[in-house]
Amino acid sequence: MSPSSQLAAARATSSLGKPPADAQEPAGHPDGVRATARIRAAHNGRVTTLPQLRSDGPFHLRRLRTDGNAATVGIISAMSAPLGGDRLALDITAEDRAELQVTTAAATLALRGPTTDAATYDVRLTAGEHAHLRWLPQPLISAAGSNLRQTYTVELAATSRFVLREEQLLGRADEEPGHLVSRILVHRAGRPLLDQHTAYGAPEPGWDGPAVLNGHRAVGQLLVVDPRLDVRRDPVLLGEGAKDGCAVLAPLAGGPALLATAVAPTTSTLRELLDEAHAHALAR
C-alpha cells in the first residue's frame, strides 16, 4: 500500500475509533497526503475511451454512464481532504478529438489540518486538437481554520473547446472562511489567454469589502473557450442586483473566449447565475 493510500485508509476509518492494521501513518509524510490522480481520454475513431483512469489518495475515479460518444468521469472523495499540509493534484488530458467531462460527486471541503502549512490542490487540464474538455466540479468550501492554495493550469490547442466552472463557498453556516488563494492560468495554442489570481479570508485585506464581495459568501468563475464563439460583444451584467448576487460576462482579448465572474449569497444562487452566463455565452 502506498503512503498516500495508507493515510487515506486511516482518515476514512478514523470515525470508527480503530483503524485497520495496515493503515498506519506513513513515514516521511506525517503532515499530509501526497497524491496525484490521472485521467486520460482518447478518441478511437468512433467514441471516446479512457486508457488511463488512475485513482490516488482521496481521489477515487469512476466512469459514469453517458449518451453519445463522450466520456464522463466522476471523482468520489475517499477521505477528508484537503487538510493543511496535503499536496494533491489532478492531471486530466483529453487527447485529439476526445470529448471528456469531469465532475465531483460532492463538494470539496477544505479543513484545518495537523499543520498550519497550506494545503495545495493543483488541477492540470490539457485539451488536444478538436477535443472538448469540461471541468464541472461541485463547490469548494473553505471552512474556518483551513489554508488552501488552489491552482488551475490549462493547456489548450487552437481548435479545442473548453469549459471550466469554479464555485467557492467562503465559510460554512455562521462561520468565517479559512484562507483561500486560487489561480487560473490558461494557455491557448502556446499563448497566454488568462492569468487570474484571487485570495479570500484573513489575512487578505479588504476581501469582503464593497469593492470585492460586498458581504457575499459564494463566488465563482465560468470560462468558455470555443472557436465558434461570437466574442464581438460588450460585457454583459447578469442577475437582479447586489442583494441577490450578480455576474459579469466579458470576452477575453487573447482568443475566442468568454469569462463570467459571479458573486452571490448562496451556492444555489451562484449556480443559477453561472448557468445563465453559460447559456448567454452559447447564444448565437
Side-chain angles (χ1 to χ4, degrees), residues 16-128:
L16 301 178
K18 183 178 180 181
D22 62 348
Q24 299 175 0
E25 186 163 302
H29 301 300
D31 296 327
V33 170
R34 274 63 173 167
T36 300
R38 302 183 188 277
I39 302 170
R40 182 165 62 90
H43 194 267
N44 66 4
R46 188 171 54 89
V47 297
T48 297
T49 62
L50 294 170
Q52 185 177 38
L53 205 60
R54 179 181 180 272
S55 301
D56 192 20
F59 303 118
H60 176 69
L61 308 179
R62 177 175 296 178
R63 178 163 189 166
L64 304 179
R65 182 175 298 178
T66 56
D67 296 325
N69 298 330
T72 300
V73 176
I75 302 174
I76 301 172
S77 179
M79 56 188 283
S80 296
L83 307 183
D86 286 353
R87 300 291 181 265
L88 307 179
L90 285 168
D91 196 334
I92 302 169
T93 299
E95 297 182 351
D96 294 354
R97 300 188 179 277
E99 186 173 350
L100 174 64
Q101 176 172 307
V102 183
T103 186
T104 57
T108 298
L109 181 60
L111 294 166
R112 181 196 302 269
T115 172
T116 57
D117 292 344
T120 61
Y121 185 12
D122 298 321
V123 181
R124 300 185 286 268
L125 300 156
T126 304

Side-chain angles (χ1 to χ4, degrees), residues 156-186:
L156 304 176
T159 57
S160 62
R161 291 182 288 158
F162 178 69
V163 177
L164 178 149
R165 186 183 69 216
E166 178 191 44
E167 300 172 348
Q168 299 164 338
L169 179 61
L170 305 176
R172 293 171 292 188
D174 299 321
E175 76 172 11
E176 289 297 310
H179 187 207
L180 175 61
V181 177
S182 179
R183 184 183 184 191
I184 303 175
L185 178 61
V186 183

